[in-house]
Each structure stands twice: as structure tokens, then as C-alpha cells.
Amino acid sequence: TYLTGPKFGTKALISINKEATEYVSIPSSAAFNFAKDDFSVEFWLMPFTHNSYLMHDDLDTLSGVRGAFAILDSGYPALYIGASAQQASRTIDLAKWSHLAYSRKAGVFYIHLNGEQVLATAIDSNFDLSQGTKILIGNGAYNGVPYPVNGMVDSIRITKGASRLDG
């Protein structure tokens, strides 16, 4: 049972439960290799629990120079480059719609939560979500353990080559 309906319209893009029966899976593409370029990935999220991957490829590891967007079990949004997590300074509320944005502009990675910058860190690494066979939105796994989103995701927007957020 959801506390409210979708953020926009009559149905959320993804209504996900803890069993991970609903998520978006799209074929891998070089379009998801952001390399060292500017990009933005933003969406509305209403999580019912923390500790989940929001966007990840289907490889069961975080090794190499790859990336993932996650919510840590402590409730902090995080950005993974390889196995290293860069954690935001504020937690995301449960059972409430929040706007979450991950971006890179001029070599600096940012996380914005409800319009507030909660992480800014310079990382000179490629950010690549294209190394698996598909991109998962709302699910991911690490060492065989699934980390699905338990909640709703709506209005995903991905921009490659430009950051829609200014630090």
C-alpha cells in the first residue's frame, strides 16, 4: 500500500516492491558511457526503505572504472566510482517524494536532493554504466545480493554532454 500516488499523472514510471518484481531494464549502449563528460541523471523518488541501487549495469560487481547511483542503508544518496562510494551530506526521507539528481560538470560530481547541493567532489575518472548487457533502473546486485528500490520512481531524465545543474 502506497501512502500517496505517483508524483505526476496517474501511474508512477516504476512502482517497485522489496521483491524487485518491477524495474526498468534497457539494453546497454555506449550512450551510457559518460566517460569524463558532463551529464545529468535526475528523477523523483519515494523510497519506503533505504539500501538500494537506483541505476546500475547488470554486472554483479562494482570493480573497474564504472559507476552506479545508490541509496546507502544509512539513507544517504551515494555515487559509486568503482567500489568507492561518495556519500551525500543529507539523508533522503522515507515515504515522501524527493527530487534526486546526479551530475558532473567540468570534472566535479554533484548530488542534489530537492534542489539542495548535498555533494560536490572532483573525480577525474570515467563514469561508465555501459559495460554490462543492460542498464537496470530500480534494481542492481553486488556479490549476488540484490539491492532493489522499495518505493516509486517517476520522471527520469538523462542528459549526456551537458549538466542541467549548476553546482
Side-chain angles (χ1 to χ4, degrees), residues 106-126:
V108 178
F109 279 94
Y110 298 96
I111 298 176
H112 286 81
L113 180 58
N114 295 321
E116 176 188 350
Q117 179 186 304
V118 293
L119 174 74
T121 185
I123 300 175
D124 187 33
S125 295
N126 287 336

Side-chain angles (χ1 to χ4, degrees), residues 1-122:
T1 304
Y2 296 118
L3 300 179
T4 68
K7 182 65 179 171
F8 301 105
T10 58
K11 184 167 173 51
L13 176 63
I14 312 171
S15 295
I16 306 169
N17 57 35
K18 64 183 176 184
E19 289 82 26
T21 56
E22 295 184 40
Y23 56 91
V24 173
S25 173
I26 53 179
S28 185
S29 164
F32 289 99
N33 181 358
F34 300 121
K36 294 183 180 183
D37 297 332
D38 294 350
F39 71 89
S40 295
V41 176
E42 56 186 304
F43 45 88
W44 287 91
L45 172 69
M46 181 192 290
F48 297 122
T49 60
H50 294 134
N51 200 21
S52 57
Y53 283 118
L54 302 169
M55 193 169 186
H56 193 281
D57 62 29
D58 65 335
L59 298 175
D60 190 17
T61 178
L62 287 173
S63 64
V65 200
R66 296 184 16 245
F69 306 125
I71 303 292
L72 303 177
D73 57 1
S74 57
Y76 291 94
L79 163 76
Y80 278 93
I81 301 287
S84 175
Q86 302 295 317
Q87 176 179 303
S89 62
R90 204 176 102 204
T91 61
I92 192 166
D93 293 329
L94 294 177
K96 180 180 174 185
W97 282 109
S98 294
H99 185 260
L100 191 55
Y102 295 85
S103 65
R104 176 165 52 191
K105 184 174 183 178
V108 178
F109 279 94
Y110 298 96
I111 298 176
H112 286 81
L113 180 58
N114 295 321
E116 176 188 350
Q117 179 186 304
V118 293
L119 174 74
T121 185

